[in-house]
Amino acid sequence: MSAGTLPYKVEPHPVTGVYSGKLGTWLFLASEVMLFGGLLSAYVFLRVGAPEAGPAAWPTHEQTELSWKIGGINTLVLILSSVTMVMAWVALKMNDVAKGKMYLAVTAALAMTFIVVKLALEYHPKFKHHHVPSTNNFFALYFTLTGLHALHVLGGVVVILYFLLPGAGLWKTNPTYYTNRIECTGLYWHFVDLVWIFLFPILYLMN
């Protein structure tokens, strides 16, 4: 069976109540919850089990040199990107493809802003001050969690740019299907933002 004849690409499945792409996205996000959940659990166990003093002691907030202001700025950037992602989907539902593409472009720009801030204002100073993953358990988890999250942000940018540029032709042949693809992309994007909502207080405020 060809991809063009797959059922329930647009219409909801009678059993699940959602179209196939949306169901697949939810299943994928469930696996992502387990991935980040496991890493966050590792952070909690290592933090709780760390000695109060000595070389293996958990670093203080001053020692980590993490700026809550920079983290807060990136948090606002991602929250705003979630808003523009929703606005893109709403515009497409209202058959305003020009406005939908504009909001998609803004979302991609905000995402790249997040990555640039992360690399320039956080990662670069950390490596410059010799705070690397091998320094201690905190930095090992910090770079693992934030690095994996940044890769997810970058992956979202790739998908958004695809539907903004070469994939935009789908709007002319099947606008409902195109709108559904943007909705699935939005679900992924909101999950990425939600992960950061957990990472920000844990790493920047509660350490």
Side-chain angles (χ1 to χ4, degrees), residues 79-109:
I79 291 175
L80 183 58
S81 73
S82 270
V83 174
T84 56
M85 191 73 220
V86 171
M87 294 303 295
W89 175 72
V90 170
L92 293 173
K93 293 289 285 187
M94 298 176 66
N95 293 318
D96 192 341
V97 66
K99 185 174 290 186
K101 288 182 177 181
M102 179 198 71
Y103 281 120
L104 284 177
V106 173
T107 303

Side-chain angles (χ1 to χ4, degrees), residues 89-160:
W89 175 72
V90 170
L92 293 173
K93 293 289 285 187
M94 298 176 66
N95 293 318
D96 192 341
V97 66
K99 185 174 290 186
K101 288 182 177 181
M102 179 198 71
Y103 281 120
L104 284 177
V106 173
T107 303
L110 289 170
M112 290 307 301
T113 300
F114 176 91
I115 293 176
V116 170
V117 170
K118 174 66 65 179
L119 292 177
L121 301 182
E122 289 196 352
Y123 280 10
H124 177 68
K126 292 294 177 293
F127 283 106
K128 185 178 180 180
H129 296 157
H130 306 291
H131 294 320
V132 295
S134 60
T135 301
N136 51 44
N137 286 336
F138 172 81
F139 282 110
L141 286 167
Y142 166 78
F143 283 108
T144 299
L145 286 166
T146 60
L148 184 62
H149 177 264
L151 287 176
H152 279 70
V153 173
L154 187 60
V157 171
V158 171
V159 174
I160 292 171

Side-chain angles (χ1 to χ4, degrees), residues 34-54:
M34 291 186 283
L35 171 62
F36 280 100
L39 290 172
L40 287 173
S41 298
Y43 179 93
V44 171
F45 282 117
L46 288 173
R47 175 67 181 89
V48 172
E52 295 295 330

